[in-house]
């Protein structure tokens, strides 16, 4: 009998190698490659589409798509990220750091669905049924009609799903599910890929929605082969800091909606609570009249959010000044500092510079540039910006300030939060929409205009 093909997988990033190597060629981690032999005989296609549809080709114009069937979860922030609700027959991957709230969010979602008379099955490979009940009691969601199953065998999980015929299934977590016939240890890339492929066939074949929870590596990506994210329909990441009570749910892949939307939650003793007004939360506790503090309007999908950008510029005691950026791109901060030195003649080479986006947000869109520049200027001059001022715009290498998208929505959000002045890029033709918001508009074309427009001279 021919020997089965042996493949080595990296436990950290999921890279494959035909032979064992001391260092992973993908993530450069040492001693992370493990042996994961393939199953001796394929039991079916790896993906569900081939098994469900005829192999005969059909004309694109003759394919009947019908109406896209969605199921509202009852949690507005989750529905926003999913694109309007759960798509029937989809496979959703939820990743995040340990203790961030993945299981809590899905348990609360299951409770709301059961109240709407939806049949839900919660499969746990990490906790016993008693532990799940204790957590449900703490979250006050234990009076629902949700089905519980503590199992790690993929064969028994598949059998239970076919027998109970639920509408929504939760797998917590995919790293604990294994198939006995696959010659690999539970949690290995081979087992994870096999389990995900089987669940995908079930979701498409039975028309049920399956959520799978995935552990993440130290780099913040779901553990296992990278193919895992390609196989599922939607990939959600739960972000947040352990010392911060707020969590952000973000979609990095969504076949049925936008990947730009985010959901904001607050972790409380009774579970996760939706944050209806993220701008108010992000600005909570912001000091008024302090140098180096600037409010900007960032867009997360279709939602404008006001966040605070902080900067601290001070003389350095070292030969090489320190540069630190939290919540934004470090290289972008150093680029903007170079623009200030070149275009305004400010000497920052002898100063340490620290830039932070308050509230735990991570923003990389170019509209943050103008707020960073103003915060650096304000801290360097030790003069605060005028009270109740918001600023946004992209800054180029020549010092020009470029327009950004959805300016009217950003200004409207600032006006709603009580801001009186908005520093925005100069445009050839103003739309006039923002002038009805009761907010003063200051248009600037270059960084040289900033010192004349605001009191940071």
């Amino acid at each position: 009998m021919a020997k089965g093909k042996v493949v080595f997988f990296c436990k950290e990033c999921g890279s494959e190698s035909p032979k064992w190597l001391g260092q992973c060629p993908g993530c450069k981690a040492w001693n992370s490659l493990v042996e994961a032999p393939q199953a001796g005989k394929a039991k079916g296609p790896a993906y569900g589409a081939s098994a469900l549809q005829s192999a005969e080709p059909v004309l694109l114009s003759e394919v009947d798509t019908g109406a896209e069937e969605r199921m509202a979860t009852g949690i507005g922030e989750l529905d926003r990220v999913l694109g309007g609700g759960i798509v029937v027959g989809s496979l959703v991957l939820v990743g995040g750091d340990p203790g961030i709230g993945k299981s809590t969010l899905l348990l609360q979602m299951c409770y709301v669905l059961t109240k709407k008379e939806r049949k839900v099955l919660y499969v746990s490979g990490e906790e016993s049924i008693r532990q799940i009940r204790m957590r449900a009691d703490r979250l006050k969601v234990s009076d629902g009609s949700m089905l519980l199953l503590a199992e790690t065998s993929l064969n028994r999980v598949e059998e239970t799903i076919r027998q109970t015929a639920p509408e929504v299934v939760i797998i917590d977590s995919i790293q604990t599910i294994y198939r006995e016939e696959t010659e690999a240890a539970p949690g290995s890339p081979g087992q994870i890929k096999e389990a995900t492929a089987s669940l995908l066939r079930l979701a498409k074949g039975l028309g049920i929605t399956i959520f799978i929870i995935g552990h993440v590596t130290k780099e913040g990506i779901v553990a296992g082969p990278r193919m895992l994210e390609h196989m599922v329909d939607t990939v959600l990441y739960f972000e947040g800091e352990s010392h911060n009570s707020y969590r952000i749910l973000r979609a990095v892949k969504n076949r049925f909606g936008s990947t730009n939307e985010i959901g904001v939650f607050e972790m409380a003793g009774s579970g996760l609570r939706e944050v209806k007004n993220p701008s108010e939360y992000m600005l909570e506790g912001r000091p008024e009249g302090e140098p180096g503090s600037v409010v900007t309007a960032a867009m997360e999908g279709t939602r404008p959010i006001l966040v605070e950008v902080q900067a601290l510029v001070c003389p350095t005691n070292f030969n090489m000044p320190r540069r630190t950026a939290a919540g934004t791109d470090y290289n972008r901060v150093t680029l903007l500092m170079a623009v200030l030195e070149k275009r305004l003649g400010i000497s920052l080479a002898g100063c340490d510079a620290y830039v932070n986006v308050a509230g735990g947000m991570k923003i990389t869109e170019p509209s943050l540039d103008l707020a960073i520049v103003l915060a650096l200027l304000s801290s360097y001059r030790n003069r605060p910006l005028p009270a109740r001022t918001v600023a946004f715009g992209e800054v180029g290498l020549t010092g020009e300030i470029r327009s950004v998208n959805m300016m009217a929505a950003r200004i409207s959000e600032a006006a709603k939060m009580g801001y009186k002045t908005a520093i925005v890029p100069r445009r050839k033709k103003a739309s006039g929409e923002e002038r009805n918001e009761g907010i003063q508009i200051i248009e600037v074309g270059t960084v040289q205009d900033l010192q004349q427009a605001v009191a940071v001279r």
Side-chain angles (χ1 to χ4, degrees):
M1 181 181 294
K3 186 177 179 180
K5 180 182 177 182
V6 177
V7 180
F8 292 87
F9 288 90
C10 175
K11 295 184 294 184
E12 298 295 338
C13 68
S15 298
E16 298 184 16
S17 175
K19 62 180 181 178
W20 185 87
L21 300 172
Q23 185 183 41
C24 172
C27 65
K28 307 301 180 184
W30 289 95
N31 298 323
S32 62
L33 292 181
V34 294
E35 182 179 341
Q38 301 292 320
K41 191 173 182 180
K43 302 183 184 303
Y47 297 92
S50 300
L52 304 177
Q53 300 177 4
S54 172
E56 295 294 330
V58 295
L59 292 174
L60 177 63
S61 57
E62 296 179 355
V63 177
D64 183 18
T65 59
E68 185 180 68
E69 187 178 355
R70 286 185 181 268
M71 182 192 312
T73 65
I75 302 177
E77 295 296 300
L78 178 58
D79 286 338
R80 173 192 291 271
V81 177
L82 289 173
I86 302 172
V87 176
V88 176
S90 62
L91 184 63
V92 182
L93 172 64
V94 182
D97 294 330
I100 201 70
K102 304 182 296 296
S103 301
T104 298
L105 175 64
L106 294 182
L107 193 61
Q108 292 181 214
M109 180 195 73
C110 292
Y111 171 74
V112 177
L113 290 175
T114 55
K115 287 297 183 181
K116 296 181 178 181
E117 299 182 353
R118 302 285 187 177
K119 195 171 185 179
V120 178
L121 173 64
Y122 193 102
V123 180
S124 177
E126 300 179 347
E127 297 177 292
S128 65
I129 295 178
R130 182 173 178 272
Q131 288 176 307
I132 299 174
R133 173 58 193 266
M134 292 172 60
R135 182 151 53 90
D137 289 338
R138 178 175 58 84
L139 300 175
K140 300 179 181 179
V141 295
S142 58
D143 58 337
S145 57
M146 174 175 51
L147 298 175
L148 300 180
L149 175 66
E151 185 57 74
T152 57
S153 171
L154 180 59
N155 294 335
R156 287 191 284 272
V157 170
E158 290 177 334
E159 181 181 354
T160 303
I161 292 176
R162 295 182 186 277
Q163 289 177 351
T164 59
E167 296 177 77
V168 177
V169 178
I170 311 296
I171 306 294
D172 186 8
S173 66
I174 191 63
Q175 278 82 7
T176 62
I177 305 298
Y178 70 96
R179 188 183 292 280
E180 293 87 343
E181 295 83 0
T182 301
E183 299 177 2
S188 64
Q191 287 281 10
I192 294 175
K193 187 162 59 174
E194 171 65 22
T196 305
S198 299
L199 293 172
L200 179 61
R201 290 196 295 270
L202 279 176
K204 304 301 181 184
L206 302 179
I208 61 177
T209 302
I210 301 179
F211 285 80
I212 57 178
I213 296 177
H215 296 161
V216 297
T217 64
K218 59 184 179 182
E219 286 81 16
I221 61 175
V222 177
R226 194 66 178 180
M227 185 185 296
L228 182 63
E229 296 188 5
H230 295 282
M231 296 168 67
V232 301
D233 297 310
T234 305
V235 181
L236 307 180
Y237 274 95
F238 221 19
E239 304 171 357
E241 303 293 339
S242 58
H243 57 271
N244 197 328
S245 62
Y246 293 92
R247 308 286 188 264
I248 296 174
L249 184 65
R250 190 185 306 271
V252 297
K253 174 187 176 182
N254 192 354
R255 290 175 178 162
F256 311 109
S258 171
T259 58
N260 296 321
E261 301 289 351
I262 67 167
V264 183
F265 298 87
E266 180 185 8
M267 177 63 78
S270 59
L272 289 165
R273 291 201 298 256
E274 297 181 70
V275 178
K276 300 293 185 181
N277 189 352
S279 297
E280 183 179 2
Y281 146 64
M282 295 298 173
L283 300 178
E284 185 179 2
R286 175 179 176 262
E288 295 286 349
E290 288 295 328
S293 175
V294 179
V295 175
T296 187
M299 293 299 302
E300 292 290 349
T302 58
R303 168 191 283 180
I305 299 179
L306 298 188
V307 295
E308 179 191 3
V309 178
Q310 299 175 334
L312 177 63
V313 180
C314 56
T316 182
N317 295 321
F318 305 96
N319 294 331
M320 181 177 294
R322 298 186 62 181
R323 303 281 188 264
T324 302
T328 187
D329 185 18
Y330 167 82
N331 294 323
R332 191 68 182 174
V333 172
T334 56
L335 182 149
L336 294 174
M337 293 181 67
V339 171
L340 288 177
E341 288 190 329
K342 179 70 174 180
R343 303 303 169 187
L344 296 183
I346 297 176
S347 179
L348 297 175
C351 298
D352 293 333
Y354 308 89
V355 175
N356 174 49
V357 178
M361 289 284 289
K362 296 180 181 178
I363 301 176
T364 57
E365 67 161 335
S367 67
L368 197 68
D369 291 353
L370 185 55
I372 294 176
V373 167
L374 283 171
L376 290 170
L377 274 175
S378 175
S379 180
Y380 180 80
R381 304 294 190 192
N382 198 29
R383 294 192 179 183
L385 264 70
R388 314 304 292 174
T389 299
V390 65
F392 54 86
E394 180 182 359
V395 178
L397 291 180
T398 62
E400 82 280 9
I401 299 177
R402 298 172 178 264
S403 180
V404 293
N405 63 339
M406 302 183 72
M407 292 182 61
R410 299 174 196 259
I411 294 175
S412 178
E413 178 71 11
K416 185 175 69 174
M417 294 300 298
Y419 283 80
K420 303 300 181 183
T421 306
I423 304 174
V424 303
R426 182 175 298 152
R427 293 160 294 169
K428 294 182 179 178
K429 183 178 180 181
S431 62
E433 298 177 10
E434 65 278 0
R435 302 190 182 277
N436 298 324
E437 301 288 348
I439 187 170
Q440 180 188 5
I441 306 297
I442 299 178
E443 296 187 347
V444 289
T446 64
V447 292
Q448 289 87 345
D449 299 338
L450 295 177
Q451 298 192 98
Q452 302 173 2
V454 294
V456 294
R457 289 170 290 189

